[in-house]
Amino acid sequence: MKQLTFIIMSMIILASCGGNSKSEFNYSVDKFADVEILRYQVHNFEQLSLNQKLLIYYLSEAALEGRDILYDQNHKNNLTIRRLLETVYQNYKGDRTSTDFIAFETYLKQVWMGNGIHHHYSEEKFEPAFSQDFLTNAINQVDISLLPLLADENIEQFKTRIFPVIFDANLYPKRLNQEDGADLILTSANNFYEGVTQKEVEAFYAKMVDPNNHTPVAYGLNSKIVKENGQLVEKTYKVGGMYDAAIQRIISWLEKAANIAENDNQKAVIQSLIEFYISGDLKQYDEYSIKWLQDTDSQVDFINGFTESYTDPLGMKATWEALVNFKDLDATKRTEIISRNAQWFEDNSPVDNRFKKDEVKGVSAKVITAAILAGDCYPSTPIGINLPNSNWIRKDYGSKSVTIENITDAYDKASQGSGFMEEFMWSDNEIAQAKEYGSLTNNLHTDLHECLGHGSGKLLPGVSPDALKAYGSPIEEARADLFGLYYMADKKMVDLGLLPDKDAYKAAYYQYIMNGLMTQLTRIQPGKNIEQAHMRNRQLIASWVFDKGTIDNVVELKKRDGKTFVVINDYQKLRDLFGELLAEIQRIKSTGDFEGAKYLIETYAVKVDQKIHTEVLSRYAELNIAPYKGFVNPVYSLVKDKSDNIIDVKVSYDENYIDQNLRYSRDYSVLPYYN
Ligand code: ZN
């Protein structure tokens, strides 16, 4: 599971950093549509050993090789369209400053940001602001052999096939559709299923699931479902199967990495992943996951594979992602304190004892420095990750949780002086609080969310982990957030030395409610509802406590000069409400109460208050801040001596967003147009 940043937290201005910035590092790289592209710094890379640097290099190559897999998973025409756009972009001989061309460039940048033709967050298809005529003229300038045409297709047929996918807003409007009542598979444009209905798929997997199996594999995780001769069949992502060419390249880099692993455990982890890529066997995947979570000694670590299922409306199919990182030894002391006390947190949580774990196993938590982001972690990236996702593995073996601090750091640095807090916070008091404790409580909340929240609680015997269906993701995220929020205000935080002051938590509370009730709506188009799991979870929590706290006036929306502000009147009662909701959500999860989940989500998490929304959008527009952030990666290069021995790995930060994506498409693209 991933923790995405709540944008407000990234708007924090550290008082001491204003004015004379000590570093010359240029965090902001590009800005287009609703996106700002940032750069992150790989702190202390130079201090790693040559072997560790080389390991990062090989794992980074393995990470970048999976890029096309994600494009194809997101939508079946994505690779064709990306290749078309890039070819035109590189060969266009007309006026590159014309309105049409600029709009075309923006669209291409959006496609890179979404890893396809849909928005990475809102799931909606991008609307090109250039004309069909422009694209036709541009295509006519290009050598036809460079275009992604099918074998016996001419250019007119190609256009007839592909133009509607780009220009017709009614065709494939959403990558992921979660509208209650619709056939979620037929109405979602992602490429996990083709020619099959939701009912057929549900029946297909229902037959596989054995309710008495205590160690069920993640059915369907690594395959596409199609219909052949009237029968549903899985096309598995593996060597010799779907995505073969890319997977083979990934394996070749993983083999190099295994040879120079930091220790035998890590070597076994990498080899186990290779075996999974070869067999596609989900039992093997579980074996790999267990080995992976148990490797806590290595400093260098990675994620590489079919991991998160947010894009599948049924929550089964996983998108490909990769992250290479190394432990931040100093900052990890913080998460180690949390981990060591995991049992205390479990025992003292406000949830019903029936739903608590008797023994919290191996919650390992660390703060990491990201070295490369890829697949579904690029260009948009999480700030925390907790894996594996398998419930029985988490129960029997625990999980590994990370907070990605150099990414949070880049968010903070890039947003200095945006004016956001001044616009949306009630008074100087809240602003001062945020400046002093915002960054700290933000990181701590991520730690608590990842290494305690997701790992806490248990399902009652016989309850299926998929019982909540499409409501499962936002409910799970709400559970993890609430666990963090509840404990943030606990005296234990100060006792453990995690917070310097018993009131520091107020910074996090205020920002969470303000974000959930108001400012996260900057990410929603006028008139639209909330779709994304993390956003649903935040609105659920904020509007539930707002609603339940009405009698005691715990949280208020106050007007000043025609503008709406969040005011928190009673922080202690707010904490109690967080505890109450946590108990209810844990009950829903533990008992598999689908109706309960549906009620909470549909009542509190989906619908947007139109008046507030309009107001927030117009106030936000004045600030001119991009609501979404993406990243470019650093570039790693091998340094060799005269006899061709590798003597160092250099990291550089000068590649821009366009060059990076074009290079990736040139160097890491081996899949056919259709898979
Ligand atoms: Zn999470």
Side-chain angles (χ1 to χ4, degrees), residues 635-666:
V635 181
Y636 297 92
S637 47
L638 300 178
V639 183
K640 294 182 179 174
D641 66 9
K642 285 195 188 102
S643 342
D644 222 28
N645 300 310
I646 299 167
I647 51 167
D648 200 4
V649 181
K650 277 256 164 304
V651 56
S652 61
Y653 301 101
D654 39 23
E655 195 168 40
N656 73 32
Y657 180 64
I658 295 175
D659 292 344
Q660 179 152 97
N661 275 284
L662 289 174
R663 178 170 67 86
Y664 286 176
S665 295
R666 187 191 69 212

Side-chain angles (χ1 to χ4, degrees), residues 28-313:
S28 186
V29 178
D30 206 336
K31 219 171 165 183
F32 54 89
D34 53 0
V35 177
E36 182 181 11
I37 298 290
L38 307 177
R39 200 186 294 290
Y40 62 94
Q41 217 169 347
V42 189
H43 307 290
N44 298 324
F45 180 78
E46 289 75 16
Q47 270 82 64
L48 298 172
S49 70
L50 174 58
N51 194 71
Q52 287 172 321
K53 289 181 193 175
L54 204 51
L55 182 57
I56 287 174
Y57 178 83
Y58 291 145
L59 290 171
S60 295
E61 292 294 307
L64 295 171
E65 294 287 4
R67 180 168 177 259
D68 280 4
I69 296 177
L70 179 69
Y71 273 80
D72 192 74
Q73 287 183 304
N74 280 340
H75 177 65
K76 64 180 175 182
N77 293 299
N78 275 341
L79 287 173
T80 299
I81 292 175
R82 191 192 78 205
R83 283 163 185 164
L84 166 67
L85 299 172
E86 288 172 349
T87 307
V88 166
Y89 185 79
Q90 289 173 297
N91 293 279
Y92 184 70
K93 295 182 191 65
D95 179 5
R96 295 178 84 94
T97 61
S98 72
T99 317
D100 265 333
F101 187 82
I102 306 260
F104 172 78
E105 185 179 73
T106 298
Y107 181 74
L108 174 55
K109 286 178 178 179
Q110 287 182 292
V111 168
W112 286 329
M113 179 71 188
N115 291 289
I117 57 174
H118 298 89
H119 195 280
H120 72 285
Y121 208 84
S122 76
E123 306 286 342
E124 312 219 347
K125 198 162 86 167
F126 297 122
E127 281 178 43
F130 53 93
S131 66
Q132 301 208 32
D133 285 348
F134 167 80
L135 188 55
T136 298
N137 286 333
I139 288 174
N140 290 340
Q141 299 181 12
V142 175
D143 178 352
I144 191 164
S145 70
L146 299 174
L147 294 169
L149 272 55
L150 297 177
D152 44 10
E153 194 174 42
N154 66 34
I155 196 81
E156 284 311 314
Q157 290 164 326
F158 173 73
K159 277 165 49 190
T160 307
R161 185 167 63 85
I162 292 300
F163 273 29
V165 184
I166 298 175
F167 292 103
D168 181 352
N170 297 318
L171 186 60
Y172 307 121
K174 274 179 155 183
R175 184 176 64 173
L176 163 66
N177 183 34
Q178 303 176 89
E179 239 167 278
D180 194 28
D183 183 310
L184 302 182
I185 287 182
L186 294 180
T187 54
S188 295
N190 56 43
N191 191 24
F192 300 121
Y193 311 93
E194 195 164 358
V196 291
T197 65
Q198 183 177 350
K199 272 213 174 77
E200 288 173 318
V201 172
E202 283 172 349
F204 179 81
Y205 283 111
K207 262 187 262 167
M208 284 187 194
V209 178
D210 170 6
N212 299 315
N213 183 357
H214 297 294
T215 61
V217 299
Y219 296 101
L221 184 86
N222 62 335
S223 63
K224 174 176 176 175
I225 290 211
V226 296
K227 212 180 242 181
E228 279 173 9
N229 305 319
Q231 299 292 316
L232 268 61
V233 288
E234 284 189 314
K235 286 173 75 183
T236 303
Y237 313 147
K238 60 170 190 166
V239 170
M242 200 162 164
Y243 304 137
D244 169 72
I247 289 174
Q248 298 227 27
R249 294 273 283 257
I250 294 167
I251 290 176
S252 73
W253 290 110
L254 289 177
E255 281 168 346
K256 285 185 202 288
N259 287 334
I260 57 158
E262 285 184 71
N263 51 57
D264 287 347
N265 283 342
Q266 188 179 46
K267 187 176 185 157
V269 171
I270 301 172
Q271 284 169 336
S272 184
L273 176 60
I274 293 172
E275 277 174 48
F276 169 62
Y277 274 133
I278 293 171
S279 69
D281 177 358
L282 289 166
K283 273 211 160 51
Q284 173 61 33
Y285 180 66
D286 284 351
E287 264 173 51
Y288 153 72
S289 297
I290 293 164
K291 286 198 174 80
W292 176 83
L293 79 89
Q294 288 176 333
D295 175 21
T296 51
D297 293 335
S298 310
Q299 193 179 356
V300 175
D301 204 353
F302 68 97
I303 293 163
N304 184 303
F306 304 98
T307 311
E308 303 282 3
S309 55
Y310 296 112
T311 310
D312 176 9

Side-chain angles (χ1 to χ4, degrees), residues 561-588:
D561 305 332
K563 293 176 176 178
T564 312
F565 296 88
V566 166
V567 177
I568 297 179
N569 295 315
D570 191 332
Y571 278 91
Q572 194 49 50
K573 283 209 173 111
L574 179 56
R575 189 202 180 199
D576 296 342
L577 288 171
F578 285 145
E580 240 177 78
L581 183 56
L582 173 59
E584 168 63 1
I585 283 190
Q586 184 63 55
R587 183 198 63 75
I588 287 171

